Amino acid sequence: MNAFYLVVDLIKERLQNNPNVNTVLFGATEDKDLYKKNIYPIAHINPVSAPMDSTKASYFTFEIACLDQRDISKAPATDKFDGNDNLQDNLNITYTILNDLVGWLRLQNNSIYAELDSVSEATPILFKDHNLLDGWYMTITIKVPN
């Protein structure tokens, strides 16, 4: 059975077709910022779980993260609220990408009969001191009939 491949491709295809996404990654979260050729914003698909307790459907849970690189101006900050970086811009564009994916999955009519079963709230990622990537992540569960 290739349901897992089909679900991953379904998610990947929508993210790649989003004009705001430049790179789509899959796999371990530690690797998302190690590739020097990544063009931001990036969307990252990470499998989380696949319960085996249903004979009628397969459920696949993924953590989806969208991240953009923070640009910090060398000019001194003149506004304490906005600062001298693009943090708010990063949070806005990456939220828009996730919102588009969820909205599309809710309305999805596809040949594999995949449905959005559940979605978590979006949680901000603020990595100013770690790797200068900001964005949001959420967890989604996709149901596919067996």
Side-chain angles (χ1 to χ4, degrees):
M1 184 166 161
N2 58 1
F4 180 76
Y5 289 122
L6 296 172
V7 171
V8 170
D9 283 345
L10 187 73
I11 297 167
K12 178 184 99 177
E13 203 173 300
R14 182 59 181 190
L15 291 169
Q16 283 180 331
N17 289 332
N18 188 311
N20 295 313
V21 175
N22 290 313
T23 305
V24 177
L25 304 173
F26 178 85
T29 56
E30 299 82 34
D31 298 337
K32 69 178 152 280
D33 64 332
L34 299 179
Y35 302 106
K36 300 296 183 201
K37 294 183 180 179
N38 282 345
I39 300 173
Y40 296 94
I42 62 171
H44 185 257
I45 305 166
N46 189 38
V48 175
S49 67
M52 301 295 228
D53 56 355
S54 175
T55 58
K56 295 183 179 183
S58 294
Y59 294 84
F60 300 103
T61 300
F62 298 92
E63 182 180 79
I64 310 291
C66 287
L67 302 163
D68 202 354
Q69 197 164 38
R70 189 178 301 189
D71 295 324
I72 300 173
S73 172
K74 294 185 191 282
T78 57
D79 184 340
K80 289 183 181 182
F81 183 79
D82 290 331
N84 66 341
D85 59 27
N86 65 338
L87 170 62
Q88 290 183 36
D89 296 332
N90 288 354
L91 292 175
N92 181 59
I93 195 69
T94 54
Y95 176 84
T96 301
I97 293 165
L98 290 179
N99 194 39
D100 173 73
L101 176 66
V102 169
W104 182 78
L105 286 170
R106 282 189 175 125
L107 301 173
Q108 184 59 6
N109 184 8
N110 54 68
S111 61
I112 63 169
Y113 303 105
E115 297 177 18
L116 181 63
D117 186 65
S118 67
V119 61
S120 72
E121 62 185 28
T123 304
I125 300 172
L126 306 172
F127 282 154
K128 179 177 179 181
D129 297 326
H130 178 64
N131 57 6
L132 297 178
L133 296 180
D134 303 307
W136 298 88
Y137 76 92
M138 66 181 179
T139 303
I140 61 171
T141 301
I142 306 290
K143 174 185 170 183
V144 183
N146 283 341

